[in-house]
Amino acid sequence: MRVYVPLTLPGLAEAHRTGQLGDGPLTAYAVTPALREWYVSDDVEELEYAALGRAALASLRLLAADPAAPRRRVVVAVDVADGAATAEPGKGPDPDAPGEVRLAGPVRLAKAAAVHVDAEDAEEDVAAAAQALDAADKGDDDARLVVDGAEDHELLWFATQEVPQLVG
């Protein structure tokens, strides 16, 4: 099963240093029944892209909590055993939960299939979105537009061999 783990650049640097993504449990995103229902598609590629988008939003939340981190969203795509990721029961109707899964323990960075990171030209929009996130969550339509501005930036794909350059 492919899961998408949200990080920040400092989080990716730590994963590179230690060889693993966190200590666990980890929050990640994947194609779950709740995501299928929320996204309403049978196309596997579209569903994977939706899970990546959910992880990118979670990365934005991590950036909002860490003002010192560079303003670039980071998502690590990892292949794990099917039983390694469990959906949180009872979270299906929550609009922030579709696709959210838990990984019980740490995941080795060597298991990563790819890393997705914002381009440098997205930093201004991502910074504004991180700042507007709380207001957007409270229903502010103008703030929601700012958050959507960050979501308009496609995350770039990087091979795992490029991680040292990303965090260097």
Side-chain angles (χ1 to χ4, degrees):
M1 165 183 242
R2 171 130 323 154
V3 298
Y4 299 90
V5 180
L7 291 176
T8 60
L9 282 173
L12 183 60
E14 180 67 10
H16 176 64
R17 188 184 67 72
T18 64
Q20 68 183 30
L21 300 169
D23 294 326
L26 295 174
T27 298
Y29 294 82
V31 177
T32 63
L35 183 84
R36 286 179 188 276
E37 185 177 320
W38 173 75
Y39 196 74
V40 190
S41 175
D42 290 328
D43 185 309
V44 174
E45 286 186 23
E46 285 183 14
L47 290 166
E48 292 280 347
Y49 187 75
L52 173 64
R54 304 300 296 165
L57 179 58
S59 176
L60 184 63
R61 292 185 185 289
L62 294 173
L63 290 172
D66 183 2
R71 307 283 90 180
R72 294 169 72 187
R73 298 168 298 165
V74 177
V75 176
V76 179
V78 182
D79 293 320
V80 298
D82 285 343
T86 57
E88 288 292 298
K91 282 201 167 188
D94 182 344
D96 290 330
E100 186 174 300
V101 296
R102 293 279 184 269
L103 301 170
V107 176
R108 291 175 8 110
L109 185 57
K111 295 228 176 222
V115 178
H116 303 272
V117 181
D118 274 311
E120 288 181 18
D121 68 355
E123 287 183 0
E124 186 176 323
D125 287 339
V126 171
Q131 194 168 17
L133 195 55
D134 187 49
D137 286 346
K138 292 176 181 169
D140 184 316
D141 289 336
D142 291 334
R144 183 75 236 162
L145 288 173
V146 173
V147 171
D148 289 346
E151 293 174 3
D152 288 343
H153 291 275
E154 295 287 330
L155 296 177
L156 302 177
W157 181 94
F158 294 91
T160 55
Q161 302 89 318
E162 296 176 278
V163 169
Q165 289 78 30
L166 289 170
V167 299

